[in-house]
Each structure stands twice: as structure tokens, then as C-alpha cells.
Amino acid sequence: MLEILNITKRFHTLVAVDNLTLDVPQGEVLGVLGPNGAGKTTLFKLIAGFLKPDRGLIRSSAGAWPTIGYKPERLLYPNHLRVHEYLNMVAAISNLPRGRIKKAVSESLERVDLTYAADKRIKECSKGMRQRLGLAQAIIGDPQLFLLDEPSNGLDPEGQAEICRQIDNLHQEGKTIVLASHQLQEVTQVCTHLVIMNQGSIHYENQMKAALAERPHTRILVNRDLSTLQSLLMHLHHDIELSDREIVLNYDAIALRPNVLRILLSNGYDIIRIEQSRVTLAEIYAAAVQ
Amino acid sequence: MNQRILAVSAYLFRSFLFSLAGLLYILLALAYYMVLFDPRQLTPDPDYYILVLGLLGLALSFLVTLSIAARANNASHFPLIVRLPSRIEYLTAVFFSSTLYASIIQFVIALIALVANGPSLDFREYLLIPPLWISGNVLFAVLSLHATDLVTAGWSRVYVFATIGLLLYLQSGLDVLSDWLSNLFNQFGNTLLATGLDALATLAFDMANLFSEGSSSALGSALSLVFWPFKAIVEAAINGHFTPLQALAPAFLMTYAALLFVLAAKFFSKKDLFLSE
């Protein structure tokens, strides 16, 4: 659906995007994470065509126009217009026949639960309403590719959940979505594919499921200090970590869990808790941007 | 394409009409009318009416385009631009809305001036007005696009206006420049002759002769041709009708406008868009 081949974008001496290659298949929800200044917004502007790459190629097979629904990071709108007037204009430039415009606008308002604000001036809309308006204008014209830059930025938890639901609905319809966000929970929830950028290049890329299945570990919490068993346990496997009252079995060492439990019980320890864990997105992110 | 351009044009037009800047231009045009077409003074001649209101159209087209392009150069329009198959459609909408806005004000002021204390124009003079005003308005609107942040790419506006400035300077000061260049090549030729480089000296003297022709030289003729449509339009307005040759002048201006628009479109479509927030 979207193919990015070796693109580089410089602003004078700053390399904003550095030889980046990315393939986003049809129907994927790609989450782009990265610290501020990592090049996410530049990447979005390159895909949207606002910036021209110094090198490389961006190919999209999104089909009939309009190909892209774009929700920019900043919630800037023509504030003097009413919500429905703005959406009418977006619909009019989206190749919709005149007779379909009104219906398309009301459908998009309905989808983002903003019908009640159709006659409101945009300047009177709250931040949450403006975020939903951003999504409503992106939906109009049924584009196949969505670029959503910080879609739930500044929203309360309820608003964030609503945006997640909307993105999930678009995913169910088979749309391709590229999403930049600092909300790790949101990315974990809606994205099928994950990219972590730093300093203009990709530092981590994986399917979301595969990423979260990485580095499994088991934590065993006991009732007293483990120092007496330290040498015995550490010699069992190099992937065993020990702290005061906790043993962490990483990767292959997980298979040794029965042995470890047997040693602990035979030495008079009480098992307080056993926890099977996977790596979190926060951990993946921290490792990638370090 | 028409629906998209019309939708963006209508939006830009309406936004500008209800803005302070939009109102300001209407007030400026009224002030212009009050000063130059004061109903208490003598009835103006037809050529005065055509040329002075033509000038109003040129000024309005230039200034309104600057203002509308500045408004179009706003980051709130990113979601609109991404929906257009070509950026040139957006530029066309900016041009179209600006020219329309300026022309409507010009038309209304012209109507007021005609009704209040206007000259009695004959049929030929009425026919003269549309091509003359429209071609001028279109040319100045397109020229103005090059002065805007929306279109300018790198040093493009400096190049465009420096070229126009140079052409204007050459046209007005060609004789002075020709004399200077002629003397320069003569001196150079004498120096070459003194050093025994006869062949090069002959070449330098030939160049000096060429420049000594001044405004009658090939360069002078070319420059006269470039600026001929403006001269022809003024003459037609004074005479009250177009001669067959002068009737081509508006078409020349439209051709200039088309070339400048193609250049503006090239700059706009190739540049990185950094719309202001």
C-alpha cells in the first residue's frame, strides 16, 4: 500500500529523515513512536507530499482520489467557519458528487459523535471536539490511507478511548493507517505494526504482537532474603537475575522454573507470588531510543 | 477539477470578504473613488475614466492577491491541500479568488463613478473596457503571486522582480547604457590595438558600434516589443478604440500572465510547504 524507499530529508545541516525505508501493507495500522524531534512529523509531511525528499522515493497504491486522509498534529482550522461548513468544503474537494456531500458530512459527524456540534463555530469547539473534527475531516471521501499525527493528544482518558475505537473501526474496514503518538497505551491497543524512530532513522521495527511477545520472563517473589542461595541459583543459568527477595528467570531460564521452585521450597522459602510477564512497549521504546 | 477549485476559491473569497483586510480594500477603493471621481467636480473624460479605474484594478489585484495568498499560506489548510491531486489547483484557487475579488470591487466602483458623474461612453468604449481591465488585473494578480511567501521558493521572488526591474531600467535608460557600453568597448579596442591584437580590437570596435545604435539596436527593439502592449493599451484608451494591431495587446498581457503563472506553478509545486501557524 505504502512503500518508502531510502528517503532522506535535510533541513540545512539537520538530517530530519535519514535513509529511511518502510513498507506498510494494506490494512495495517502502523504506530510510529519516537521522542520529540525524531522525525515523525517530517515523515508524515513527506508521505502527505508537503515536503519533497532530497533522496529516495515514496510510492502509494491507495487507488482512487482522495488517497490520503490527514489529521495534522496541530489542531489548526479556519476558526471562523462552522463545523458543517468546514466539512462541506472538505467534501467538495474530495471528488464527491454534489448530491453526496451532505450525506458524507453527516455520516462523518455521526462516526465521530460530533453531530450535535455541526452548527457550532470551530473557534467555540473544545480540544476534544477539535480532535474529533480532525478525524471527521480525514474520514470524508473514504480515503484508503490515513495519516494521523497525535490523534489523541491532550484528550482525557475517555476521549482517548473514543479515538482508539474510531481507529479500530477504520482498521476493521481494511484502511491503512499510519499513526504517530506518544501514548504508548494507545499504540499498544490499536497498532498492528510498530516503528520506533530516533534521529531520523528507524531504530526498531516489528509486528506489534511479535514485539510484545519478545523477552518473556518469570518473576518469583519469596518471603525472605535470597543471599544464601545466590551462588546456587546463579549457576543454574546465566539468564537468572536475583535481587533481595525476587528471582527473575529470563528467556531460556524460564524452563528451569520447576527446578528453581524445588530449590526454594526445599530450603524453607515461602513463595509469595509467581508472575509470568512479557516486555512492555515502554521497555521496548526505552531500549530503542537509548 | 472545477468543483475542487471552485470550492477552495469560494472559501478563500468568502473568508477574505468577511475579514478586516477584505473590508479595508473596499474602503480604500471608495477613498480612491472619492478623491479621483469627486461627483462635485467636472465630468471626467472617457480615457481618464478607463485608465484611472484600470489603475485601481491593477493595484487592487496586486494587493488583494498578496493578502489572500498570505491567508492561504496558513497551516490550517494542510488537510485541504492533501486532498487536492495537484498543488496547482490550490494556487489556481488563490489566483482566481483574488482576481475575482479585485475585479468585483473595480466593477462596483466603476459603476458608481459612471452613475454618479461618469462620462458618456459610446459602444466602442464599452467594448474597450473588459479586455483592457481584465488582462491588466490578471497580469498583476499573477505577478503578485511571485511576491508571496506561498509561492516563493528560495530566491525566486528576487530573481523574478530583479528581472522585471532590469527590463524596466533597460527600457528607460537604454540610450545611457548603450553610450557607456559603446565607450567602454571603444577604450578596450584602443588598448588592444596598442598591444598589437588587431583582430580582437576589431571585434571590440564592432561591439562598440553595435551599442552605439542605442534604442534603435536589436536589444532596443526587443525591449520595445516587450513593453509594447502596455503602450498600446494606453493609446487605445486615449483614442477610445483599438486599432487592429492594438487589439492584440490584451492577448499579449494574458500571454505574459500565463507564462508567469506557469513559473509560479513550477515554484509552488516543487517547494517544501512550510505553512505558517
Side-chain angles (χ1 to χ4, degrees):
Chain A
M1 159 63 89
L2 178 67
E3 202 178 354
I4 299 169
L5 294 170
N6 305 106
I7 56 161
T8 296
K9 182 66 189 173
R10 285 191 172 82
F11 299 115
H12 302 291
T13 53
L14 174 78
V15 184
V17 174
D18 188 11
N19 199 28
L20 187 143
T21 295
L22 191 60
D23 191 19
V24 189
Q26 167 83 39
E28 287 268 5
V29 183
L30 171 71
V32 183
L33 293 176
N36 292 329
K40 303 186 296 291
T41 298
T42 303
L43 176 65
F44 273 53
K45 287 188 172 178
L46 283 162
I47 298 171
F50 302 137
L51 300 178
K52 305 284 176 186
D54 296 324
R55 207 162 58 85
L57 190 69
I58 298 174
R59 273 199 294 248
S60 165
S61 55
W65 202 266
T67 53
I68 297 176
Y70 175 60
K71 194 216 92 57
E73 181 188 357
R74 301 285 305 271
L75 299 170
L76 300 166
Y77 300 102
N79 285 325
H80 60 285
L81 294 184
R82 294 178 193 281
V83 166
H84 78 269
E85 289 172 338
Y86 177 61
L87 294 177
N88 273 336
M89 180 175 55
V90 173
I93 61 173
S94 300
N95 267 5
L96 290 172
R98 282 186 197 282
R100 274 270 302 137
I101 288 176
K102 206 173 169 188
K103 192 162 178 260
V105 169
S106 62
E107 276 172 4
S108 76
L109 284 169
E110 220 168 279
R111 279 189 69 159
V112 300
D113 197 18
L114 205 58
T115 310
Y116 69 97
D119 289 326
K120 248 186 168 171
R121 288 202 187 277
I122 297 176
K123 66 182 167 197
E124 293 163 2
C125 290
S126 68
K127 193 166 189 180
M129 288 158 82
R130 291 165 80 91
Q131 284 283 21
R132 278 183 280 164
L133 177 60
L135 208 55
Q137 62 80 22
I139 291 168
I140 286 181
D142 199 29
Q144 292 302 304
L145 174 63
F146 287 84
L147 300 175
L148 309 177
D149 200 351
E150 309 271 1
S152 61
N153 190 19
L155 291 184
D156 56 27
E158 200 181 321
Q160 287 178 17
E162 177 58 32
I163 294 288
C164 284
R165 266 197 298 278
Q166 296 300 338
I167 295 169
D168 203 41
N169 287 343
L170 291 171
H171 178 219
Q172 299 305 323
E173 291 169 19
K175 309 291 186 193
T176 308
I177 301 164
V178 185
L179 164 90
S181 179
H182 289 297
Q183 312 283 342
L184 300 185
Q185 197 189 342
E186 175 186 74
V187 173
T188 312
Q189 200 178 327
V190 300
C191 293
T192 58
H193 200 99
L194 174 69
V195 156
I196 300 175
M197 286 183 73
N198 197 14
Q199 295 177 331
S201 56
I202 292 175
H203 282 225
Y204 181 89
E205 185 182 357
N206 207 343
Q207 293 291 325
M208 184 60 79
K209 275 184 186 163
L212 295 176
E214 276 180 1
R215 294 194 288 167
H217 55 268
T218 300
R219 291 173 184 277
I220 303 169
L221 186 68
V222 294
N223 62 332
R224 58 192 166 87
D225 193 76
L226 284 161
S227 53
T228 52
L229 290 179
Q230 187 170 10
S231 57
L232 176 64
L233 290 171
M234 294 294 273
H235 276 96
L236 279 178
H237 200 281
H238 61 271
D239 280 333
I240 295 179
E241 291 172 28
L242 249 69
S243 58
D244 291 349
R245 295 194 300 135
E246 191 179 61
I247 307 164
V248 181
L249 310 175
N250 289 316
Y251 314 116
D252 296 341
I254 291 171
L256 296 174
R257 194 173 65 176
N259 300 11
V260 172
L261 289 174
R262 206 173 302 124
I263 291 169
L264 289 169
L265 292 172
S266 64
N267 282 279
Y269 284 87
D270 285 342
I271 311 296
I272 294 174
R273 190 171 67 230
I274 301 177
E275 195 178 271
Q276 285 276 61
S277 308
R278 304 273 179 203
V279 70
T280 64
L281 190 53
E283 288 166 326
I284 296 171
Y285 177 82
V289 300
Q290 259 171 12
Chain B
M1 185 174 86
N2 284 345
Q3 181 182 318
R4 292 190 296 268
I5 292 175
L6 284 177
V8 180
S9 302
Y11 157 68
L12 291 171
F13 186 94
R14 195 182 149 207
S15 303
F16 190 64
L17 179 65
F18 294 110
S19 71
L20 196 61
L23 185 67
L24 187 73
Y25 287 118
I26 294 171
L27 294 176
L28 277 175
L30 282 171
Y32 185 88
Y33 159 74
M34 293 301 285
V35 172
L36 294 167
F37 292 93
D38 189 343
R40 290 165 299 184
Q41 290 182 353
L42 290 174
T43 304
D45 295 331
D47 59 335
Y48 177 89
Y49 176 84
I50 294 169
L51 289 175
V52 172
L53 283 171
L55 272 179
L56 173 69
L58 300 186
L60 280 176
S61 297
F62 196 91
L63 295 172
V64 169
T65 306
L66 280 181
S67 303
I68 290 185
R71 297 172 78 86
N73 189 40
N74 188 285
S76 62
H77 299 134
F78 272 134
L80 303 183
I81 298 173
V82 79
R83 286 185 173 258
L84 299 173
S86 160
R87 284 188 197 176
I88 296 167
E89 291 185 8
Y90 192 66
L91 189 67
T92 308
V94 171
F95 159 75
F96 189 59
S97 52
S98 309
T99 312
L100 193 66
Y101 194 89
S103 299
I104 287 174
I105 297 178
Q106 183 191 29
F107 176 74
V108 171
I109 296 292
L111 207 62
I112 295 169
L114 194 66
V115 171
N117 185 28
S120 54
L121 301 173
D122 62 29
F123 184 65
R124 284 198 308 178
E125 283 162 337
Y126 276 119
L127 280 183
L128 188 72
I129 291 174
L132 198 147
W133 285 358
I134 291 170
S135 61
N137 290 359
V138 166
L139 177 64
F140 271 67
V142 177
L143 193 61
S144 176
L145 282 177
H146 283 278
T148 62
D149 284 342
L150 183 72
V151 167
T152 195
W155 289 81
S156 72
R157 90 177 113 197
V158 176
Y159 297 141
V160 168
F161 285 98
T163 306
I164 292 168
L166 185 70
L167 287 173
L168 282 168
Y169 172 75
L170 283 177
Q171 199 248 350
S172 62
L174 187 61
D175 287 333
V176 178
L177 186 72
S178 299
D179 283 348
W180 182 75
L181 284 170
S182 177
N183 286 336
L184 189 75
F185 275 100
N186 266 328
Q187 284 171 15
F188 188 51
N190 287 330
T191 311
L192 291 171
L193 207 58
T195 53
L197 295 167
D198 290 3
L200 287 175
T202 310
L203 195 65
F205 288 133
D206 286 347
M207 290 298 288
N209 284 337
L210 188 70
F211 282 115
S212 69
E213 290 170 16
S215 55
S216 60
S217 67
L219 178 63
S221 305
L223 283 172
S224 297
L225 187 67
V226 169
F227 289 102
W228 168 78
F230 299 97
K231 203 175 145 193
I233 275 176
V234 174
E235 282 172 0
I238 291 167
N239 296 333
H241 62 89
F242 281 123
T243 64
L245 188 62
Q246 284 169 344
L248 289 173
F252 265 76
L253 294 190
M254 294 296 262
T255 309
Y256 293 169
L259 292 173
L260 282 168
F261 188 81
V262 168
L263 193 63
K266 194 174 158 63
F267 290 143
F268 185 61
S269 58
K270 300 254 185 239
K271 72 182 284 192
D272 286 337
L273 277 186
F274 295 106
L275 305 187
S276 58
E277 293 187 355

